[in-house]
Amino acid sequence: MKITNIETIVFKTTTRDHMSRWWIPVVGDEVATNKTLTKISTDEGAEGYMFGGDPLITEKVIKPLLIGENPLDREKLWHWMDQLATTTPLIHESHIGVVDCALWDLVGRMADLPVHKLLGGCRNKVKAYGSSHLNMGDPRFYAEHVQLCKEQGYKAYKVHPLINWDPVNWEPGPQLPGSPKEDVEICKAVREAAGEDMVLMSDPHGVYTLEQAIWVGKELEQLNFYWMEHPMSETRMEAYRRLTRELDLSIVAPERVTGSIFTRAEWVVQGASDILRIGIEDGGITACMKMVNVCEAFGIQCEIHLSHLGAAPTLQVLGASPEATCEYFERGLLHPDLDYETPPPHLKSLSDPMDDEGNVLIPQGPGLGMDINWDYINENRVPAGE
């Protein structure tokens, strides 16, 4: 079997997330946007799909590298792409992630099995936490939102407080300085509204200095928060080593550094975080499973990051991972003005339905388990070059 074609399809859709000047999503009116889907075809008719991808990168870099290769040689192809990403600016690990997931989808469809069973099935559901949208409002707004999430069945909730936000003029702003005092007030309101039985986390997305992160962390310890994620710039590992020594609160990192599993393995050795963070955009399912295995070997947790490309591949990784290593699925970004329970138009059904006890069910369909709405995609397809 050989790969005969790889294409990234562009189609029109809509979104209510508007990217601000500082590249942080802000919820607003529905606007038109484009979305992509990468398709891998073979000479034997087998195909694999994954949302995401860049048409130019696919055409100029991915296709010349992979056409004619056996799609079942995923490990070899992953290393080829990773080596290219580390030696040239032609390809990013997020591009690798899309292709890798499409290759896993292809073999799953061939075998008529979900990917997590091919990886070695471990569970059919995973605990979810409601992941809030960014910069939602004042502390009362967050308090009302966590109460709503609790009523919907969530047993855990993560606060995205004021990120790239000016709390005085209440508008998007630069990343630094952060707003540690305002963030703590939000977290206090969330704890009071959630009660003591709900697991709480915070993700300030790298906006603090070391001194601010220590102060906020100690405040969160008093509020019995589970973790603080990505509190500072992740280019400064020494600051994270000092932070983890100062706090009993678990620190989750790195979230955004490049280097996929190799960078993160160094964070394990350096003791720069308590819980590792990796996602589909950091090299795909193959990279995530490598990181899960490293974390399991060291006896530390590995939380899989929410993917803007869709929930299905993340859930396939979690379905093949034990709860002791990968405890939660990040479900969001949630906002009271957004309908998260209706599938987007390019899908016929949700990839991450949640039961009444706060568990998300692992997709059981073949491959990634995505229920793709091809009629919608074909009707809204953007011709190449436009």
Side-chain angles (χ1 to χ4, degrees), residues 32-44:
T33 189
N34 287 341
K35 194 172 180 66
T36 59
L37 179 144
T38 295
K39 174 183 175 182
I40 299 178
S41 305
T42 67
D43 58 355
E44 295 186 13

Side-chain angles (χ1 to χ4, degrees), residues 52 69 84 90 96 111 124 126 148 208-209 264 289 347 356 360 372 380:
E69 296 299 322
L84 192 61
L90 297 175
I96 300 173
N124 291 322
V126 58
L148 175 63
Y208 299 152
T209 64
R264 286 160 175 78
M289 290 306 302
L347 292 175
D356 294 336
V360 165
I372 301 173
N380 292 278

Side-chain angles (χ1 to χ4, degrees), residues 26-262:
V26 179
V27 176
D29 295 333
E30 194 169 74
V31 296
T33 189
N34 287 341
K35 194 172 180 66
T36 59
L37 179 144
T38 295
K39 174 183 175 182
I40 299 178
S41 305
T42 67
D43 58 355
E44 295 186 13
E47 294 181 343
Y49 318 103
M50 175 61 190
F51 286 101
D54 182 304
L56 183 61
I57 297 296
T58 297
E59 191 66 29
K60 299 297 185 181
V61 182
I62 302 296
K63 283 180 68 173
L65 188 66
L66 302 188
I67 291 293
E69 296 299 322
N70 188 331
L72 303 184
D73 292 338
R74 291 176 306 281
E75 186 71 16
K76 181 182 78 172
L77 301 182
W78 186 88
H79 280 282
W80 281 6
M81 292 187 288
D82 176 73
Q83 290 159 8
L84 192 61
T86 57
T87 56
T88 75
L90 297 175
I91 184 175
H92 188 268
E93 57 202 40
S94 61
H95 303 130
I96 300 173
V98 170
V99 175
D100 182 73
C101 289
L103 290 170
W104 276 107
D105 187 58
L106 186 151
V107 69
R109 291 174 182 273
M110 285 180 59
D112 196 28
L113 288 170
V115 167
H116 72 275
K117 294 298 185 186
L118 298 177
L119 291 168
C122 190
R123 51 183 165 170
N124 291 322
K125 59 184 178 180
V126 58
K127 294 188 296 186
Y129 66 81
S131 189
S132 85
H133 216 282
L134 288 63
N135 309 316
M136 294 199 304
D138 62 25
R140 290 181 301 171
F141 195 101
Y142 279 88
E144 292 171 0
H145 188 238
V146 73
Q147 287 177 321
L148 175 63
C149 289
K150 192 170 185 178
E151 291 169 4
Q152 292 172 340
Y154 291 98
K155 301 294 193 298
Y157 179 85
K158 187 169 80 177
V159 178
H160 284 107
L162 304 185
I163 299 168
N164 288 77
W165 196 260
D166 179 350
V168 176
N169 299 309
W170 202 252
E171 62 184 15
Q175 185 171 17
L176 298 174
S179 305
K181 292 181 180 179
E182 290 85 353
D183 292 350
V184 167
E185 290 305 310
I186 289 172
C187 291
K188 286 180 178 178
V190 167
R191 170 53 77 196
E192 183 176 356
E196 291 301 319
D197 60 329
M198 197 170 194
V199 177
L200 298 179
M201 310 90 153
S202 177
D203 179 5
H205 201 68
V207 302
Y208 299 152
T209 64
L210 173 59
E211 292 74 20
Q212 289 173 333
I214 291 172
W215 180 79
V216 171
K218 290 185 180 298
E219 292 292 315
L220 296 184
E221 287 176 348
Q222 297 300 313
L223 296 172
N224 194 29
F225 268 57
Y226 185 11
W227 76 54
M228 180 167 58
E229 176 184 334
H230 185 187
M232 306 175 293
S233 169
E234 293 175 339
T235 59
R236 298 148 182 141
M237 190 185 293
E238 174 58 23
Y240 273 88
R241 283 195 291 258
R242 296 185 182 210
L243 183 64
T244 56
R245 291 197 298 265
E246 286 283 342
L247 298 176
D248 293 327
L249 177 75
S250 292
I251 300 301
V252 179
E255 179 182 15
R256 294 299 182 189
V257 295
T258 58
S260 187
I261 60 168
F262 306 106

Side-chain angles (χ1 to χ4, degrees), residues 340-370:
Y340 196 83
E341 302 308 320
T342 298
H346 55 273
L347 292 175
K348 294 180 180 179
S349 61
L350 287 173
S351 296
D352 58 349
M354 190 171 76
D355 64 20
D356 294 336
E357 299 190 3
N359 300 303
V360 165
L361 309 180
I362 308 296
Q364 298 298 318
L368 298 178
M370 299 182 298

